[in-house]
Amino acid sequence: MAAVAAPEAPPRAGLTIFALCLAVFIVPYGLSSAPVALPAIGEDLDAGVVPLQWVVNAYNVTAASFMMAAGSIADRIGRKRVFSFGVGLYAVSALIGALATDVILLDVARGVAGVAAAAMMTAGVSLMANMFHGAARTKAFAFVGVTIGAGLAIGPTSSGLLVDGLGWRSIFWVQFVIAVASVLGLKLLQESKNPDATSVDWAGTVTFTLALFCFTLGVIEGPVWGWGSAGALGLFAASALLLVAFVFVERRQQHPMFDLSLFAEPRFMAVNLLATAVSFGFVGLMVLLPSYLVGANGLTDGGAGLTMLLLTAPVLAFPMVAGRLVQSGVSMRPILSGGLVLVAAGLAWLTTVHADISALGLAGPLLLVGIGIGLIYGLMDGAAVSTVPPTKVGMASGMFNTIRLATEAVAVAGMIAALVSFFQQRVGPGLSRYTEGTDLSARSVTDSVTSGNLDAAVDKVPSAARDAFTDFLGAGYTYGFQVVLWATAAVCLVSAVVLHLILTDRPADDGDAAERQPEPEEAAAPRASAGTAV
């Protein structure tokens, strides 16, 4: 008797996809909406630049660190259960963020949100892979891709408008409402587990998380403590030791969190280099630019958010362009490396930024960066899994997404640390001319300016000197921002060259195998759920 083919999609497939995508939308939205609100948060909570950075960094670090562990736990105890836990936890963290009266509490809430985001992303993707098959699965994942792009693109603009109209807390109230609404769709999801799932690699998870935390904290505090200080060097040394311990542990695990042998594959390393360059060229810029537009240019939060559309809107349109180019026979390699060249060119062009620059002056460079990123986002996840054997696709996608989130955290921390260092270098010699007789210190001025709140420093000097002091600080801020942009442009350009040299096209037989749609049993493989690419 012939076997009856399983349906490609579950009942009420459209509603199921909508329910999953509504929850997944919070993950990129939570990343891209916070940076625009940082100046307002800093002013309201009287927060310095370091705790303000952790409003963004705490989310990225925890999301990156717990993604692989969340996938393993979902395999063991149930994907729907972990996804539901993530949605509920995100709702709680957003509620705490909306009510926070202290920046440290807000940082903790954002860290919890990152854990929730890891659970939602890994378990949500696994649920979708298990519930949809064939052409229906392809369509479902296309919706997820659009959802992620929309979250990244809509976040800065909507956040700016919300902060202007309702205050910074409103962005967390919006996230809370979306999470609560997502709970209503949980009943549409079908539970699934992997009966062959292995135990969670806690040793690898703990050592990796602590190594990433120490390194990021060292990068953030380096300009404040001094790069050669005992505190900074101690954090970097601890990070290195923990990383060695992580490698030692993983080599002795029967089922490690990371399959370290994948790093011997040059093409896989090339795609991870691409993700790192994107973290600097796009994610870091999304954090730095709104504060500069508010602080140096005097824009409102809403005005900064609207200006950010020039950067983020192309991210929605150009992934489809990249897909069509590949379908027409163009290799991924020139598209990805060419996209990075566009990003580098846009960043170099953006170095013409100054305190009085208009939206028209920003349009060219920001659109160029956005187009390059859009082309890359259309292919990057697919490129990551196409560089490894089909049997390791799930592990590769999990590793890639973990590394991507980790480099985003490091990129944000590193770029802000560099901005702080160059700003201090520029304004340090002449600062006492304006601050003598006030309670302003070099640290407080740096914190105010680099968090986008120049007025907090300017208002404390005599009124007769305020205009000159504003120009002085604006010039130092612009100098630091320009140097960081040049360095980031160089990172992207060098990465484009290396990527083009290493990311050779796959042999035809490997490509056919990697492109093959997995069977339902494969979708439930132990590692295929741990961060499947979207």
Side-chain angles (χ1 to χ4, degrees), residues 435-462:
T435 59
E436 189 174 355
T438 71
D439 62 352
L440 289 172
S441 63
R443 170 68 184 272
S444 65
V445 170
T446 299
D447 284 357
S448 297
V449 173
T450 52
S451 62
N453 187 18
L454 266 71
D455 290 343
V458 172
D459 289 346
K460 293 184 178 181
V461 304

Short mmCIF file of all heavy atoms in Angstrom, two decimals, residues 435-462:
data_model
loop_
_atom_site.label_atom_id
_atom_site.label_comp_id
_atom_site.label_asym_id
_atom_site.label_seq_id
_atom_site.Cartn_x
_atom_site.Cartn_y
_atom_site.Cartn_z
N THR A 435 35.70 74.60 30.97
CA THR A 435 35.13 73.94 32.14
C THR A 435 35.67 74.46 33.47
O THR A 435 35.19 74.05 34.52
CB THR A 435 35.38 72.43 32.06
OG1 THR A 435 36.80 72.18 32.00
CG2 THR A 435 34.72 71.84 30.82
N GLU A 436 36.66 75.32 33.43
CA GLU A 436 37.23 75.84 34.68
C GLU A 436 36.15 76.57 35.48
O GLU A 436 35.40 77.40 34.96
CB GLU A 436 38.38 76.80 34.37
CG GLU A 436 39.16 77.22 35.61
CD GLU A 436 40.39 78.03 35.26
OE1 GLU A 436 40.68 78.20 34.05
OE2 GLU A 436 41.05 78.52 36.19
N GLY A 437 36.04 76.22 36.75
CA GLY A 437 35.03 76.84 37.60
C GLY A 437 33.70 76.13 37.56
O GLY A 437 32.74 76.57 38.21
N THR A 438 33.59 75.05 36.82
CA THR A 438 32.35 74.26 36.77
C THR A 438 32.62 72.89 37.38
O THR A 438 33.77 72.55 37.72
CB THR A 438 31.87 74.07 35.32
OG1 THR A 438 32.75 73.16 34.64
CG2 THR A 438 31.84 75.40 34.57
N ASP A 439 31.59 72.10 37.54
CA ASP A 439 31.76 70.74 38.07
C ASP A 439 31.93 69.71 36.96
O ASP A 439 31.81 68.50 37.19
CB ASP A 439 30.58 70.36 38.96
CG ASP A 439 29.24 70.34 38.20
OD1 ASP A 439 29.22 70.78 37.02
OD2 ASP A 439 28.23 69.91 38.79
N LEU A 440 32.19 70.19 35.74
CA LEU A 440 32.37 69.28 34.61
C LEU A 440 33.75 68.63 34.65
O LEU A 440 34.76 69.31 34.86
CB LEU A 440 32.21 70.03 33.29
CG LEU A 440 30.80 70.48 32.91
CD1 LEU A 440 30.85 71.38 31.67
CD2 LEU A 440 29.90 69.28 32.66
N SER A 441 33.80 67.33 34.43
CA SER A 441 35.05 66.60 34.28
C SER A 441 35.16 66.13 32.84
O SER A 441 34.19 66.14 32.08
CB SER A 441 35.09 65.40 35.21
OG SER A 441 34.07 64.47 34.87
N ALA A 442 36.36 65.70 32.46
CA ALA A 442 36.55 65.19 31.11
C ALA A 442 35.64 63.98 30.86
O ALA A 442 35.07 63.82 29.78
CB ALA A 442 38.01 64.81 30.89
N ARG A 443 35.46 63.15 31.88
CA ARG A 443 34.61 61.96 31.75
C ARG A 443 33.15 62.35 31.55
O ARG A 443 32.46 61.80 30.69
CB ARG A 443 34.76 61.09 33.00
CG ARG A 443 33.76 59.93 33.09
CD ARG A 443 34.00 58.87 32.02
NE ARG A 443 32.99 57.84 32.06
CZ ARG A 443 33.06 56.74 32.81
NH1 ARG A 443 34.10 56.54 33.60
NH2 ARG A 443 32.12 55.84 32.76
N SER A 444 32.66 63.31 32.35
CA SER A 444 31.26 63.69 32.23
C SER A 444 30.97 64.35 30.89
O SER A 444 29.91 64.14 30.29
CB SER A 444 30.85 64.62 33.38
OG SER A 444 31.54 65.85 33.32
N VAL A 445 31.92 65.16 30.40
CA VAL A 445 31.74 65.78 29.08
C VAL A 445 31.71 64.72 27.99
O VAL A 445 30.85 64.74 27.10
CB VAL A 445 32.86 66.81 28.81
CG1 VAL A 445 32.81 67.28 27.36
CG2 VAL A 445 32.74 68.00 29.75
N THR A 446 32.63 63.77 28.07
CA THR A 446 32.68 62.69 27.07
C THR A 446 31.40 61.88 27.09
O THR A 446 30.83 61.57 26.03
CB THR A 446 33.88 61.77 27.35
OG1 THR A 446 35.09 62.52 27.26
CG2 THR A 446 33.93 60.64 26.33
N ASP A 447 30.92 61.54 28.29
CA ASP A 447 29.68 60.77 28.40
C ASP A 447 28.52 61.51 27.77
O ASP A 447 27.70 60.93 27.05
CB ASP A 447 29.37 60.47 29.87
CG ASP A 447 30.25 59.38 30.44
OD1 ASP A 447 31.07 58.82 29.67
OD2 ASP A 447 30.14 59.08 31.63
N SER A 448 28.41 62.81 28.06
CA SER A 448 27.29 63.60 27.55
C SER A 448 27.32 63.68 26.03
O SER A 448 26.31 63.48 25.36
CB SER A 448 27.32 65.01 28.16
OG SER A 448 27.16 64.97 29.55
N VAL A 449 28.49 63.99 25.49
CA VAL A 449 28.59 64.23 24.05
C VAL A 449 28.40 62.94 23.27
O VAL A 449 27.60 62.88 22.32
CB VAL A 449 29.95 64.87 23.71
CG1 VAL A 449 30.13 64.96 22.19
CG2 VAL A 449 30.04 66.25 24.33
N THR A 450 29.10 61.87 23.63
CA THR A 450 29.05 60.64 22.83
C THR A 450 27.74 59.88 23.02
O THR A 450 27.47 58.93 22.27
CB THR A 450 30.24 59.72 23.15
OG1 THR A 450 30.31 59.51 24.56
CG2 THR A 450 31.54 60.35 22.68
N SER A 451 26.93 60.27 23.99
CA SER A 451 25.58 59.69 24.10
C SER A 451 24.55 60.58 23.40
O SER A 451 23.35 60.29 23.46
CB SER A 451 25.19 59.51 25.57
OG SER A 451 25.14 60.74 26.25
N GLY A 452 25.01 61.63 22.72
CA GLY A 452 24.13 62.49 21.95
C GLY A 452 23.46 63.59 22.75
O GLY A 452 22.51 64.21 22.27
N ASN A 453 23.95 63.88 23.95
CA ASN A 453 23.31 64.88 24.81
C ASN A 453 24.29 66.00 25.12
O ASN A 453 24.75 66.16 26.26
CB ASN A 453 22.81 64.21 26.09
CG ASN A 453 21.99 65.15 26.95
OD1 ASN A 453 21.51 66.17 26.49
ND2 ASN A 453 21.85 64.80 28.22
N LEU A 454 24.65 66.80 24.10
CA LEU A 454 25.58 67.90 24.29
C LEU A 454 25.08 68.92 25.30
O LEU A 454 25.86 69.51 26.05
CB LEU A 454 25.85 68.61 22.95
CG LEU A 454 27.07 68.15 22.15
CD1 LEU A 454 26.80 66.78 21.57
CD2 LEU A 454 27.39 69.14 21.04
N ASP A 455 23.78 69.14 25.33
CA ASP A 455 23.22 70.17 26.19
C ASP A 455 23.55 69.93 27.66
O ASP A 455 23.67 70.89 28.44
CB ASP A 455 21.70 70.26 26.02
CG ASP A 455 21.32 70.81 24.66
OD1 ASP A 455 22.19 71.42 24.00
OD2 ASP A 455 20.16 70.64 24.25
N ALA A 456 23.66 68.66 28.06
CA ALA A 456 23.96 68.37 29.47
C ALA A 456 25.29 68.95 29.89
O ALA A 456 25.48 69.35 31.04
CB ALA A 456 23.96 66.86 29.69
N ALA A 457 26.26 69.05 28.95
CA ALA A 457 27.55 69.65 29.25
C ALA A 457 27.53 71.15 28.99
O ALA A 457 28.04 71.95 29.79
CB ALA A 457 28.64 68.99 28.41
N VAL A 458 26.92 71.57 27.88
CA VAL A 458 26.95 72.98 27.49
C VAL A 458 26.21 73.85 28.50
O VAL A 458 26.65 74.97 28.81
CB VAL A 458 26.33 73.15 26.08
CG1 VAL A 458 26.16 74.62 25.74
CG2 VAL A 458 27.20 72.45 25.05
N ASP A 459 25.13 73.36 29.05
CA ASP A 459 24.32 74.17 29.98
C ASP A 459 25.03 74.49 31.28
O ASP A 459 24.58 75.37 32.04
CB ASP A 459 23.00 73.44 30.29
CG ASP A 459 22.05 73.42 29.11
OD1 ASP A 459 22.29 74.18 28.15
OD2 ASP A 459 21.08 72.63 29.13
N LYS A 460 26.15 73.82 31.56
CA LYS A 460 26.85 74.05 32.82
C LYS A 460 27.96 75.09 32.72
O LYS A 460 28.60 75.41 33.72
CB LYS A 460 27.43 72.72 33.34
CG LYS A 460 26.36 71.72 33.76
CD LYS A 460 26.96 70.48 34.36
CE LYS A 460 25.86 69.50 34.82
NZ LYS A 460 26.43 68.29 35.45
N VAL A 461 28.23 75.61 31.52
CA VAL A 461 29.24 76.66 31.37
C VAL A 461 28.55 78.01 31.31
O VAL A 461 27.34 78.09 31.05
CB VAL A 461 30.10 76.43 30.11
CG1 VAL A 461 30.74 75.05 30.13
CG2 VAL A 461 29.26 76.60 28.84
N PRO A 462 29.27 79.10 31.57
CA PRO A 462 28.65 80.43 31.50
C PRO A 462 27.99 80.67 30.15
O PRO A 462 28.49 80.22 29.11
CB PRO A 462 29.83 81.37 31.74
CG PRO A 462 30.81 80.55 32.53
CD PRO A 462 30.66 79.16 32.02
#
